[in-house]
Amino acid sequence: MRMMGERKFLIGVLGSGKGSNFAVVADACRAGTAPAEVALVLSDVADAGILEQARQRGIQARFIPPGKFRTRLDEEAEQAYLEALRAARADLVVLAGFMRVLKQRFLNAFAGRIINIHPSLLPAFPGLEAWKQALAHGAKVTGCTVHFVDAGVDSGPIIGQQAVPVLDDDTPETLHQRIQAAEHELYPRCVAAIARGQIRVEGRRVVWGKT
């Protein structure tokens, strides 16, 4: 925990969709269960729900056009995102349904300070629509994973996981809903641990400890 008088631990959030994971992180910060503050929310989608969720909470929210590429930011857009995060003095970048791959320049700028949540128990089922992958493979257990972001696809060091059973009568929709409920518990808990300085990385291994 930061001592009284020290600068708050500040979070920048990137998202492309409704923003449900952002909302639970922001609300945990506001409630004091996560000793941090969301300073800025950025989106590559002009009418993304996450921007409205942020504005309703009085948090600075901006749409920054992603540029000419479909799956990543172009160079000009990447620079704009980095400048916005630096101006907000973000200590941690939290991805909340951000549907663009971050390239090496971005990863270098916030090395070891970018996290993501993925709807499976990584390393199982990386990539898109992981809950559908789990059903297609007949998995009996899946879940969600919070991990540091590296240059691979959902391959960074794992911070935390929460299991979700796959029921016999599950559809993609029902399974996804239960995974999202688990995400809403896990993400704020991991963000809080990072803000408290309880997380350290040893090689590929993430160790939780006391401050």
Side-chain angles (χ1 to χ4, degrees):
M1 182 80 73
R2 291 173 183 262
M3 300 297 290
M4 188 67 71
E6 288 188 13
R7 183 173 74 83
K8 285 186 177 180
F9 187 93
L10 299 177
I11 296 170
V13 178
L14 275 56
S16 304
K18 295 178 181 178
S20 65
N21 273 310
F22 151 72
V24 294
V25 169
D27 291 348
C29 293
R30 179 171 291 181
T33 54
E37 178 183 325
V38 179
L40 175 68
V41 174
L42 301 175
S43 181
D44 59 324
V45 179
D47 60 351
I50 193 171
L51 295 175
E52 181 58 30
Q53 292 256 30
R55 291 173 185 134
Q56 289 173 1
R57 289 167 172 79
I59 297 169
Q60 182 185 355
R62 287 178 57 193
F63 160 65
I64 299 180
K68 59 189 175 184
F69 301 117
R70 188 175 62 85
T71 60
R72 63 182 175 91
L73 302 173
D74 70 13
E75 188 170 332
E76 184 178 338
E78 184 178 61
Q79 182 63 28
Y81 276 79
L82 289 174
E83 287 177 359
L85 291 166
R86 287 171 177 144
R89 302 172 72 193
D91 297 295
L92 182 70
V93 178
V94 172
L95 304 185
F98 192 61
M99 301 306 292
R100 302 209 173 238
V101 176
L102 300 181
K103 306 306 287 184
Q104 197 62 52
R105 178 180 174 221
F106 201 112
L107 299 177
N108 290 343
F110 285 89
R113 295 190 292 144
I114 306 173
I115 65 172
N116 182 49
I117 191 159
H118 181 76
S120 78
L121 295 176
L122 293 172
F125 312 128
L128 297 175
E129 298 187 323
W131 60 95
K132 291 184 180 179
Q133 295 184 53
L135 281 175
H137 280 77
K140 297 302 182 186
V141 178
T142 186
C144 55
T145 302
V146 176
H147 63 96
F148 287 106
V149 176
D150 64 10
V153 177
D154 302 319
S155 60
I158 291 170
I159 301 166
Q161 294 184 309
Q162 189 158 320
V164 173
V166 181
L167 307 180
D168 291 342
D169 59 351
D170 261 330
T171 64
E173 292 73 25
T174 60
L175 180 58
H176 191 207
Q177 286 172 1
R178 293 206 317 286
I179 292 172
Q180 284 189 315
E183 289 178 349
H184 295 167
E185 296 174 3
L186 181 64
Y187 219 1
R189 191 160 70 241
C190 291
V191 168
I194 293 169
R196 292 189 181 106
Q198 295 174 331
I199 298 293
R200 69 180 190 275
V201 182
E202 298 178 353
R204 295 284 305 170
R205 183 165 166 258
V206 174
V207 179
W208 288 57
K210 296 179 180 179
T211 53

